[in-house]
Each structure stands twice: as structure tokens, then as C-alpha cells.
Amino acid sequence: MKVAIINCGSSSIKYAVFDMNTREMLGSGLLERIGTQESRVRHRRRNDFGKYDEILMHAPVSNHAEGFEFILSVTAKMRILEDPNELFGIGHRVVHGGEAYNGPVLIDRKVTSKIRELIPLAPLHNPANIEGIEVALKRLPQVPQVAVFDTSFHATIPPHAFHYALPYRLYEEHHVRRYGFHGNSHCYVAKRAAAMLGKSIESLNAITLHLGNGASATAILGGKSVDTSMGMTPLEGLIMGTRSGDVDPAIHFYLLREAGMSIEEVESMLNSQSGLKGICGNNDMREIGGLAEKNDQLAQLAMDMFCYRLKKYIGAYFAVLGRVDAIIFTGGIGENSRVIRSATCRGLSGLGIVMDEDKNNGALGCEAEVQDGQSDVKILVIPTNEELEIADHTVETITALKNGAVQLKP
Ligand code: ADP
């Protein structure tokens, strides 16, 4: 049973094909620079030894429809998907489901127009997601297609946590509230953590830390999200590669008045010139770590700030949850940076969080427990797999509909 996952950006298409009987990814890739003469696809294919070979191919691709066709030809040539009609389904990653979707949904015309209505909440992402859906529906109308939202996992956050202390009518009239993102990643690693600890997901209390270019922390109570650091947009919360995370909102007005900046300049600065890059000029944690080792003061400051903000969220979510079974590190930084994991957990023994530095040093891009024997709280490193999470939701949604179930699993 094969399932394809599509994640469309404004000039890119990420894709993956899974064999859901074995839960193995057969191949995946990223088509970039759509609309230019330099479009290229970086394709990874599983070989006979269970490892992945990477192939780079170039072709001018002028739009997403051509891009989709190019991807189908690549996956056919690589014998990953010889006939796309054999697909059990296609899962589309959609960034914003607003309050309309608390779970995945089979895509029809009504669903695409609802996702279109949500564009003001995600102007950078939802238009590209819709483009991908429309192209795939047109090309493969007989394959069931499912929208899986980044926001859905956070639909269980209670009102006292999702409201901003702003006039209530802004929520009623303009949908101003916290939504949260990275839901598929937080959900995936929480389920893996429950399996690693031999617990049911319903009994798991955890703090998940997704640390990539974007970063967010989630408080998970009994397997459900009850708070998360990103808000109405992915700008709130932790310090990220180029995003500021939490700042005093009055800074915006100050900059308009005193620095003569326009509102557009402030918005662009907060999204693309701030975070790690704003402090030390670099947004790649690997390079920042290297610079800090060479005594670059601003690189060290950026790392210290990153870990300090994380520590504050861990403390806050500890208070929210009362009991914490595990802290989970994931995303490119969480999976690979022992330095960031160690600095984040340092000084948290009062909360029962004690790291074993040797175990931490040995955990690179693989599932591992890295806590000390005396630690009350498990510290887990779990590589995320958002694509597999989307594939699972796609299969569940289509199967539930085929079985005539009224209620879809959220
Ligand atoms: P995205 O959000 O784009 O999916 P990733 O999850 O791939 O991002 O994470 C990218 C981040 O992970 C970058 O800051 C990168 O430097 C960092 N990273 C990857 N490998 C390492 C490593 N070995 N040590 C420190 N940081 C790393």
C-alpha cells in the first residue's frame, strides 16, 4: 500500500513515497527553484541495504503543475511509483487549519475553499499548499487526497491557554488567538516516546522541543497538546534561526516612532533578520557552534540566549503539567546538537532533570535516552518524521471513510 506526501512551498515541492505495509520510505525529494531556469530536484531513493542514495537532477520547471509532472517522472524512472494510480492516497501538508479543522480531512471542493479562506492567517504558506492540492487533484482525480494540518494537534489547547489578553471581539471578529504549529512533529515524537517508555500515549506527560530553523515547545498532558510556544503565527515563542520569538510588543511602536521603520520593515525584520541571525549574523546552529568554540562572543551569546529561552519554557510547561515523564529533543538541532541539549538541561536538577553527558554525547540523529540514572524525568532524543505522521493520518482518514465511519480520528 503506497502513500505519497506532498508539501508545497511557493517555489518548491517536497515529496515522499511510503510503503505503508512496511512503514518504510521508498524515496523522497525536494524540487526547488520552480519558475527559474535552475530548477532542480534532489531525490533520495532507498537502496537494497536500507540506506538512501541521493541523486541531483536539473530541468527547467516553470510552475507547480510541471513540477508535479517532473516528480512523477522521477519516481517512475526510479521504480518507486511506476503508476501513480496505484497510490492508496496522497497526504498534503497544510500549515494552517484555523479553528475549522481539528484533524485531517478528505479533500473536496469545500475543503479547498475553506483552506483558501484561511489564507489571511498564513499568507506565506496556505496559498502554496492550495496550489499543490489543486495540481495533484487535477492530475490524479481518482486518488483520494487528504489535508493534514500543522495546527490540528494543538486543537486540544484550552481557552485559558489559547486566548491573548486582548479585546475579546478580536477573537470573535478576526480569529485572533494562539493556534500553534509543528503539530505533526510534536505528535510523532510524543507517540514514539510513549513506545520507547512502554507507556500508552494517553498516560504520557511530556515536553516536546522541536528545534529546527523554526522552533517550538509543546506541553503534552495525557498525550494531548495543552500549550505550545508558537502562537497565532510561527513567530511567537522560542528563539529561532531568523525569527525573534517572544518580544515586548511595544518594541514595534518604538521602532516606528524612533527608528523611522515602516510596519513592513518591522515585520520582515522580526521574521527574517532576527533570532540567532539577528544576534550573531548566522542562522545555522552548526556554524554558530563552530564560531563559539573559536571564542566568537556573539555566537556564544546567541547560543546562551537560545538555551535560556528554552529553559524558561521547560520551567513554565513543568508548572502547567505538574508531572513530566519526559523531555523530548527533536528537529535538526535537537537531534544533533549535544551542546545545546546539555546547556538547556544544565541546572534543572531541582525539577528532577539530570543529563548523563556520556549518553548525550553519543546520541546523534538516533533515538536515545540520555538522562542520568538519578533523573526523575527521562530525557529523550527522537528524530522526527513528520512525513510518516502525515502518511499515517492519510491512511486512517481514507480507511475510516471507506469503512463508513462517521467520526474521523482527530
Ligand atoms: P527545518 O526547520 O528547515 O526542517 P532542520 O530541522 O533541518 O530545519 O534543522 C536545521 C538546523 O539544525 C540548523 O540550524 C542546523 O545547523 C542544525 N543542525 C543540523 N545538524 C547539526 C549538528 N550536528 N549540530 C548542531 N546543529 C545542527
Side-chain angles (χ1 to χ4, degrees), residues 211-214 283-286 331-333 336-337:
L211 312 176
N213 282 314
N283 60 309
D284 187 306
M285 190 57 96
R286 235 174 321 200
I333 299 171
N336 297 298
S337 176

Side-chain angles (χ1 to χ4, degrees), residues 169-408:
R169 66 171 181 80
L170 295 181
Y171 167 62
E172 293 174 310
E173 292 169 18
H174 298 286
H175 317 288
V176 175
R177 55 158 283 182
R178 313 181 67 252
Y179 292 96
F181 299 88
H182 289 147
N184 292 308
S185 177
H186 290 292
C187 181
Y188 175 83
V189 296
K191 287 197 285 198
R192 283 301 311 148
M196 283 169 77
L197 302 179
K199 289 174 81 78
S200 68
I201 183 69
E202 292 79 13
S203 67
L204 180 81
N205 285 8
I207 300 172
T208 48
L209 306 171
H210 177 105
L211 312 176
N213 282 314
S216 64
T218 293
I220 294 178
L221 182 73
K224 295 194 160 72
S225 170
V226 290
D227 204 349
T228 193
S229 59
M230 284 180 168
M232 175 157 152
T233 75
L235 185 53
E236 191 179 346
L238 302 176
I239 292 173
M240 308 178 218
T242 63
R243 289 177 235 158
S244 63
D246 299 333
V247 290
D248 181 344
I251 291 173
H252 308 80
F253 323 124
Y254 178 84
L255 291 175
L256 296 189
R257 268 196 321 267
E258 301 297 324
M261 289 173 77
S262 68
I263 197 74
E264 290 78 16
E265 284 170 335
V266 173
E267 185 176 23
S268 147
M269 177 203 69
L270 291 169
N271 276 299
S272 41
Q273 301 300 325
S274 299
L276 299 169
K277 186 177 179 190
I279 295 299
C280 70
N282 197 318
N283 60 309
D284 187 306
M285 190 57 96
R286 235 174 321 200
E287 291 176 23
I288 296 170
L291 289 167
E293 272 176 22
K294 291 184 195 137
N295 283 330
D296 184 307
Q297 304 279 303
L298 290 181
Q300 188 59 55
L301 175 64
M303 288 176 80
D304 292 346
M305 289 170 65
F306 185 89
C307 297
Y308 179 70
R309 180 81 53 91
L310 264 173
K311 204 178 272 211
K312 288 211 293 188
Y313 269 92
I314 291 172
Y317 289 167
F318 225 98
V320 166
L321 296 172
R323 185 204 86 225
V324 176
D325 300 310
I327 293 191
I328 303 161
F329 286 91
T330 193
I333 299 171
E335 292 162 26
N336 297 298
S337 176
R338 56 198 166 85
V339 178
I340 294 292
R341 292 194 300 251
S342 173
T344 301
C345 293
R346 200 169 301 140
L348 294 183
S349 58
L351 296 178
I353 301 170
V354 186
M355 184 165 264
D356 179 317
E357 294 299 340
D358 289 335
K359 287 185 189 162
N360 182 43
N361 288 341
L364 281 179
C366 56
E367 287 187 356
E369 287 192 22
V370 299
Q371 76 282 352
D372 183 85
Q374 310 157 15
S375 185
D376 294 333
V377 178
K378 307 279 190 208
I379 308 174
L380 307 180
V381 178
I382 304 182
T384 195
N385 195 338
E386 294 168 82
E387 289 84 9
L388 183 56
E389 185 64 25
I390 295 173
D392 276 335
H393 285 300
T394 303
V395 172
E396 281 168 22
T397 306
I398 297 169
T399 307
L401 283 171
K402 283 190 172 161
N403 293 342
V406 184
Q407 200 83 48
L408 291 182

